[in-house]
Amino acid sequence: MNGEPDPRRADWSALWTRLGSLLGLAFVVALFSFLRPHTFLTADNFQIMLLQTAVVGTAALGMTLIIISGGIDLSIGSNIALCTVTVALLLQHQVAPALAALGGVVAGAACGALIGLLITRLNLTPFIVTLGMWGALRGAAKGLAHETMVAAPTTWLNNLLQSLRPQNRWMLFPPGVWLMLALTVIVGGLLRYTRFGRHIFAIGSNEQTARLCGVPVKRTKLLIYVVGLAFAGIAGVLQFSYLTVGDPTTANGMELAVIAAVVIGGASLNGGEGSVFGSLIGALIMTVVANGCTKMDLANWLQEIVTGAIIITAVVLDRLRHRQQG
């Protein structure tokens, strides 16, 4: 009917977006394989890239929920740093590894609850709130760690994102990578098959219409940030495993990589669109680009320019896609 969106057209648009992300991933892998075949195109390097993707990819799952709802989170890198410090401090105090990991996740969720309350109760914009929390959480991490790295006893948490030993090659990937893949399937199912998932899309598409349709907008937004930042907590646990210490300075600038991964994967910064599987592909692209630039011995400032260019390109493509749909 006239004036109503064609669901078949939307499905084709989503399909082309995912294919575009896959083609982009294939392109950057092929490019760096050609430019640096002896250092980039190795099994060990691909395993390293998977380990690095696990942190960004897991954080991107939570960011996907937030961006689909029309929000944003600029504090996610600081949140990850705070969670690594939390896990390390709990282990220092002889807390069981599982409870220490849970403590890191709870710390992330608590930060999400604070952000959600500021947004929903005080009607502040997500950009301003999370920009303020970006500095506050980083400062809290440094304060808890006394501005130094926090050493922790060795536990099984250290093995989540460590290269597999020869006797464990049957696992194919380290446990942290499997955890990211399992969480991707779970979040994908949540978005597609649950009421909460439908509410997330409804709020991002048109918040006023969603409210008129009976969606509890404020409560849902609060829950979105709690769940979204809980994934940042999980990413913090994985980052701790990768570093084996609590580092208050880690993940500096990671929020850009996470947001870029979600946008490259097909999410719209205007809300209402997004896919966790697309975000995972986007996270792989960001990791491959960063790793490839390192293999080519590019300076850090050049790598930052490349990252910024990727983000701008993804936003431009998103705008062009919306113009075509309109």
Side-chain angles (χ1 to χ4, degrees):
M1 291 185 291
N2 293 335
E4 293 186 3
D6 186 349
R8 290 173 296 181
R9 184 177 179 181
D11 289 342
W12 276 109
S13 176
L15 177 61
W16 278 113
T17 299
R18 293 177 188 178
L19 288 176
S21 300
L22 284 171
L23 289 174
L25 177 60
F27 172 76
V28 293
V29 170
L31 176 64
F32 290 118
S33 297
F34 173 75
L35 294 174
R36 288 293 186 272
H38 300 298
T39 55
F40 180 83
L41 197 60
T42 66
D44 287 341
N45 190 49
F46 275 90
Q47 183 172 218
I48 289 172
M49 286 191 289
L50 283 175
L51 295 178
Q52 294 171 337
T53 302
V55 177
V56 175
T58 302
L61 296 178
M63 185 68 79
T64 302
L65 303 180
I66 293 170
I67 288 180
I68 290 175
S69 71
I72 196 73
D73 180 19
L74 301 178
S75 70
I76 200 162
S78 301
N79 203 315
I80 289 172
L82 177 62
C83 292
T84 67
V85 171
T86 300
V87 173
L89 287 173
L90 289 172
L91 289 174
Q92 268 192 356
H93 287 82
Q94 306 300 316
V95 175
L99 290 178
L102 180 61
V105 177
V106 170
C111 293
L114 177 57
I115 291 171
L117 287 171
L118 290 172
I119 291 171
T120 58
R121 302 304 177 188
L122 299 182
N123 293 320
L124 301 177
T125 61
F127 181 88
I128 297 300
V129 172
T130 58
L131 180 61
M133 291 296 287
W134 166 76
L137 295 180
R138 182 69 66 176
K142 291 179 180 179
L144 286 173
H146 301 291
E147 299 194 64
T148 186
M149 291 188 181
V150 181
T154 301
T155 66
W156 57 264
L157 289 177
N158 297 73
N159 298 324
L160 290 177
L161 274 191
Q162 298 300 318
S163 298
L164 292 175
R165 297 176 181 176
Q167 63 269 28
N168 294 328
R169 293 289 183 182
W170 59 271
M171 294 178 63
L172 299 180
F173 307 128
V177 176
W178 284 115
L179 175 62
M180 176 190 67
L181 295 174
L183 290 173
T184 301
V185 174
I186 292 171
V187 177
L190 180 147
L191 284 172
R192 189 174 182 86
Y193 299 111
T194 68
R195 178 180 297 178
F196 178 56
R198 292 191 292 272
H199 286 177
I200 292 174
F201 279 102
I203 292 172
S205 298
N206 191 313
E207 183 175 324
Q208 185 61 30
T209 300
R211 183 178 288 107
L212 293 174
C213 291
V215 175
V217 173
K218 289 189 176 182
R219 188 173 63 192
T220 303
K221 276 188 174 182
L222 176 59
L223 185 57
I224 288 169
Y225 276 94
V226 170
V227 174
L229 272 297
F231 279 100
I234 298 173
V237 174
L238 294 178
Q239 183 77 339
F240 167 81
S241 175
Y242 190 74
L243 299 174
T244 69
V245 296
D247 185 358
T249 64
T250 192
N252 188 26
M254 188 177 285
E255 52 276 342
L256 295 180
V258 173
I259 293 171
V262 177
V263 175
I264 291 170
S268 171
L269 290 175
N270 294 322
E273 296 180 36
S275 160
V276 291
F277 300 102
S279 297
L280 187 58
I281 295 171
L284 284 167
I285 290 175
M286 296 304 298
T287 301
V288 170
V289 169
N291 182 275
C293 289
T294 301
K295 297 300 180 185
M296 294 182 65
D297 297 320
L298 295 180
N300 286 335
W301 63 270
L302 277 175
Q303 294 185 35
E304 291 172 358
I305 290 175
V306 171
T307 301
I310 291 174
I311 295 173
I312 293 172
T313 301
V315 174
V316 169
L317 291 175
D318 175 59
R319 288 296 178 88
L320 291 175
R321 180 160 49 91
H322 278 85
R323 286 183 182 178
Q324 291 176 353
Q325 290 176 357

